[in-house]
Amino acid sequence: ILDVPVEIDSADGPGNAPTQQTPHLELLAGRSHARWYVLAALAAAVCAVAVWRWSIAPLEEAERNPRQAAAGAAPANSIAVLPFVDMSENGVDSYFGDGIADEIINRLAQSESLRVTARTSSFSFRGHPESDIRDIAATLGVARVLEGSVRRDGETLRITAQLIDGESGAHLWSKTFDRSGTEILAAQDEIAVAVAGALQVTLSDLASAPGARTIDPAAYDLYLRGTFLYHRRSAGDMVKALDYFEEAVTAAPDYWPAWEAIAGAYAILYFSGATMTAEAAEQGMRNAIEQALRLAPNSADVQVRAARYHRYFGDETLMHEHLARAYELGPPSPLLLAEKSGAHSRRGEFHEALVFQREAVSI
């Protein structure tokens, strides 16, 4: 063992020049000690190689079969719902297929034991019919995929849905629903309940008793048109979306999702710099929130909208009360998690804010 020169700062502090010192390390006495050190080093090297091979083995397997590796990592009760394909003759009803898939996502998300991929992720595969379902499942990290189609013929709807295994591509469940336009909500509930049953999970009481909900077809069509534009957000889309939502509640005053959407549209228009006074935005949001709370006080989405209203224009105490109520109603949506994160961040509670942001990212 060689003497090793070591630079050590003087005791007077780091500002002084270091002095050169040469500590003398004793030579190892006796060959037996040296032999033990060599054996220990060899053993450590063998262990290191073994650990390295063990650690990269899954990566090599993933490179050989990435689809299987991704599918195997997906939780068993995880699912993505793709936008339903428009099969109507005119081919311009894509917004209708999106709306059906969106509603089914919301229904399935009511189960705390089911991991449902968010709309933004699953809808990114719209317009890619050539994509293999197994590749989609691997990309989204889900074990199951629900796809379907919708055909409208006057007042008659034909909705076909099929549940597919993400690893094998095999069909697990498939059914066709023929319904009138007024029964579209009930049909969506039936599909969600059937899928939950195939996955052996349960939904909330609202979605576990399908068949009771009806809606005016014209009002629902207006709502879906508005929702399509609300999510697309091209130039002028939000103004037109608000018009559609307001027409929907004129046709069906008790349809609370349209009231909740009105509140969201007003908020986006105002805070995105659109030509709208604070008074007009406040009045529009307040009226929509009051109606939505009256019709659906147990909707987490409505509670979040109410919390946002009070953050913008009202009382911070009420904002926290609505957020707490929304979290109780759960499971939490990305919108709710973002609001909870923002509330903590404004208090300077950044660690708590990050917890909610990470939960939002995970879904």
Side-chain angles (χ1 to χ4, degrees):
I1 302 233
L2 301 178
D3 290 343
V4 182
V6 180
E7 289 188 353
I8 302 177
D9 289 345
S10 83
D12 291 335
N16 297 302
T19 58
Q20 185 86 359
Q21 298 187 8
T22 307
H24 295 278
L25 304 179
E26 291 186 0
L27 292 175
L28 294 174
R31 295 185 179 183
S32 60
H33 288 86
R35 189 179 298 114
W36 278 110
Y37 272 88
V38 170
L39 290 175
L42 288 174
V46 170
C47 290
V49 171
V51 169
W52 175 73
R53 287 298 307 166
W54 172 81
S55 65
I56 68 169
L59 300 178
E60 292 178 338
E61 176 60 27
E63 289 179 354
R64 288 194 296 269
N65 195 345
R67 177 187 294 159
Q68 184 177 5
N77 285 341
S78 58
I79 185 170
V81 181
L82 303 183
F84 278 37
V85 179
D86 170 34
M87 302 293 289
S88 59
E89 292 184 4
N90 57 22
V92 295
D93 289 347
S94 60
Y95 71 91
F96 200 81
D98 284 10
I100 290 175
D102 211 8
E103 186 72 12
I104 293 172
I105 289 173
N106 292 335
R107 290 284 169 266
L108 293 175
Q110 294 176 17
S111 172
E112 295 186 359
S113 58
L114 190 60
R115 178 174 173 263
V116 185
T117 299
R119 178 191 199 277
T120 306
S121 299
S122 58
F123 277 38
S124 66
F125 288 94
R126 182 202 289 108
H128 298 281
E130 73 284 354
S131 299
D132 192 304
I133 288 293
R134 293 171 294 177
D135 292 331
I136 293 175
T139 301
L140 296 176
V142 295
R144 307 286 186 267
V145 176
L146 181 70
E147 65 173 1
S149 63
V150 57
R151 180 188 296 274
R152 290 203 293 180
D153 185 9
E155 295 299 318
T156 303
L157 296 171
R158 167 162 286 191
I159 304 172
T160 300
Q162 45 197 8
L163 183 65
I164 302 172
D165 181 79
E167 183 175 358
S168 67
H171 284 66
L172 304 176
W173 169 87
S174 180
K175 188 173 181 179
T176 297
F177 301 81
D178 291 312
R179 297 288 186 273
S180 69
T182 60
E183 299 172 319
I184 179 63
L185 299 183
Q188 292 164 349
D189 286 349
E190 287 185 54
I191 295 171
V193 171
V195 170
L199 297 176
Q200 298 182 335
V201 299
T202 57
L203 302 180
S204 70
D205 293 338
L206 177 63
S208 62
R213 299 196 303 146
T214 59
I215 183 65
D216 176 81
Y220 190 63
D221 188 80
L222 290 165
Y223 170 72
L224 292 186
R225 289 176 184 270
T227 301
F228 180 82
L229 298 175
Y230 181 93
H231 288 294
R232 191 175 69 176
R233 301 194 187 184
S234 297
D237 277 356
M238 197 57 60
V239 173
K240 189 59 180 176
L242 180 57
D243 290 340
Y244 278 132
F245 294 145
E246 290 180 335
E247 289 182 53
V249 296
T250 299
D254 291 341
Y255 188 51
W256 67 263
W259 285 112
E260 185 248 324
I262 288 173
Y266 266 110
I268 291 171
L269 283 170
Y270 178 63
F271 288 99
S272 63
T275 304
M276 179 179 292
T277 65
E279 291 76 13
E282 193 274 338
Q283 183 178 354
M285 284 190 70
R286 184 179 69 247
N287 180 56
I289 289 297
E290 288 175 351
Q291 295 295 331
L293 285 172
R294 176 180 64 85
L295 295 166
N298 292 326
S299 164
D301 289 340
V302 170
Q303 293 290 338
V304 174
R305 292 296 180 193
R308 298 193 105 183
Y309 165 76
H310 285 291
R311 173 158 71 92
Y312 298 148
F313 302 111
D315 187 299
E316 186 171 348
T317 301
L318 289 176
M319 177 196 75
H320 288 292
E321 289 180 3
H322 284 292
L323 284 180
R325 178 61 179 148
Y327 209 75
E328 289 175 2
L329 293 167
S333 67
L335 181 63
L336 170 57
L337 294 169
E339 285 298 308
K340 291 281 286 184
S341 176
H344 283 289
S345 182
R346 287 189 296 276
R347 293 178 180 176
E349 300 166 351
F350 301 117
H351 176 76
E352 292 82 355
L354 281 170
V355 170
F356 286 106
Q357 288 286 12
R358 289 194 177 103
E359 189 177 352
V361 168
S362 72
I363 62 174

